[in-house]
Amino acid sequence: HLRNQSLHGPSPVTTFGPKACMLQNPHAVMHIQDPASQRLTWNKPPKSVLVIKKIQDASLLQPFKELCVFLTEQKNMIVYVESKVLADPAIAGDESFGAVIQKFCTFREDLDDISNRVDFIICLGGDGTLLYASSLFQESVPPVMAFHLGSLGFLTPFKFDTYQSQVTQIIEGNTAIILRSRLRVRVVKESREKKGIIMTNGDSEGSRKSMQYQVLNEVVVDRGPSSYLSNVDLFLDGHLITTVQGDGVIVSTPTGSTAYAVAAGASMIHPNVPAIMITPICPHSLSFRPIVVPAGVELKIMLSRDARNTAWVSFDGRKRQEICHGDSITITTSCFPVPSICFRDPVNDWFESLSQCLHWNVRKKQNYLSSEEEEF
């Protein structure tokens, strides 16, 4: 079905998971809300939490155990943990932690649906944990509280040393949030016979197969292992805009603007801006500059007819696959953003990340000139 297109993109849903919603602001008159006024509240007290931990990181073991003991024993929360996290011998073999493990609810990625069971999410690790949390929820996403442990992450504003008071405050409600828009991506592939077997995955559409993804950072289309330039056509709302000749193209959210896109020369865009960014990767044209388009548009990427080679696509660095002639990638803004809980507020958190992670505009100041020096 055709989406309603608008200059400011789709209005995001303001309920997240079974119990969380955005606190209504009576002073919000415009459709675009002042970022500082975005607040999270609960319809009912949260009872379940998903704890996502970076796998095989020994430095996270102690914080993970402390947090889980706190959540189960002091906060009486139902804790969901992925099965492969508990497979770590350092966790499974810890007898003192065994009583807590018995209380966990476990699940397996791609097999178990937890979308209606989790009230909020806590991430321990780097930015990858937030991207992973996003991938687990293809529709409404529960609020996410992300802690950085070790190196400072761009999407992980909380420090672990005060986790008890911070988590307590989130459970009690009324905290600042930032709605990170996602991209809804649909890949349609022509079925191809290979040694007499028709290869199909996802939903079949006659001779075609279709797969859908929700993407928080970016969709990357590149030339893969080929030595030739990639050659892909870019359509916007059905009109051919340009052909990308180069190493590839990045289609990113504002959240993804500070990831791969900024390394490829794009602007950094605050996550509250309703936009989609298109950034060429090493284009074979000096005048091909990155562009920003409204969040409501629909982009389509296909191999050009005269492309010498296939292209490859990945979604937040995952699910990498080959794109051949006749295949298409359709991208638009999703109605299901990721509600990230702020440490302070959406503006302060973002500029703090720019200075801490990217050292944005960090430089030595010029010396002050005295009146005597000005005369020379």
Side-chain angles (χ1 to χ4, degrees), residues 232-236 239-244 278 299-301:
V232 296
D233 291 336
L234 179 67
F235 300 84
L236 194 151
H239 303 286
L240 177 64
I241 298 303
T242 193
T243 297
V244 182
I278 302 165
L299 297 172
K300 191 173 186 179
I301 298 173

Side-chain angles (χ1 to χ4, degrees), residues 69-118:
V69 168
F70 172 73
L71 289 168
T72 53
E73 295 184 0
Q74 290 194 42
K75 295 296 175 185
N76 296 314
M77 302 289 288
I78 299 164
V79 175
Y80 282 79
V81 178
E82 199 171 3
S83 300
K84 63 185 178 187
V85 170
L86 299 183
D88 186 334
I91 293 174
D94 185 341
E95 289 180 13
S96 62
F97 194 55
V100 177
I101 291 177
Q102 295 296 316
K103 298 178 184 176
F104 286 163
C105 293
T106 59
F107 71 98
R108 295 155 299 167
E109 184 195 4
D110 294 335
L111 290 174
D112 301 317
D113 181 14
I114 56 164
S115 56
N116 268 330
R117 299 189 206 164
V118 172

Side-chain angles (χ1 to χ4, degrees), residues 337-348:
V338 173
S340 295
I341 298 171
C342 298
F343 177 66
R344 284 197 290 172
D345 63 69
V347 174
N348 269 304

Side-chain angles (χ1 to χ4, degrees), residues 311-371:
W312 288 75
V313 63
S314 59
F315 315 94
D316 285 341
R318 294 162 59 88
K319 310 282 186 184
R320 187 164 167 81
Q321 54 196 270
E322 193 172 13
I323 297 296
C324 303
H325 283 283
D327 300 346
S328 67
I329 305 161
T330 305
I331 305 167
T332 191
T333 302
S334 167
C335 291
F336 301 103
V338 173
S340 295
I341 298 171
C342 298
F343 177 66
R344 284 197 290 172
D345 63 69
V347 174
N348 269 304
D349 282 17
W350 192 66
F351 279 101
E352 183 71 14
S353 295
L354 284 186
S355 63
Q356 294 292 327
C357 302
L358 298 182
H359 301 292
W360 179 66
N361 201 26
V362 173
R363 61 183 288 276
K364 284 188 176 179
K365 295 275 174 69
Q366 283 185 322
N367 287 334
Y368 170 73
L369 284 179
S370 67
S371 57

Side-chain angles (χ1 to χ4, degrees), residues 290-305:
I291 58 172
V292 180
V293 297
V297 303
E298 186 174 85
L299 297 172
K300 191 173 186 179
I301 298 173
M302 297 183 76
L303 267 187
S304 301
R305 289 178 88 175

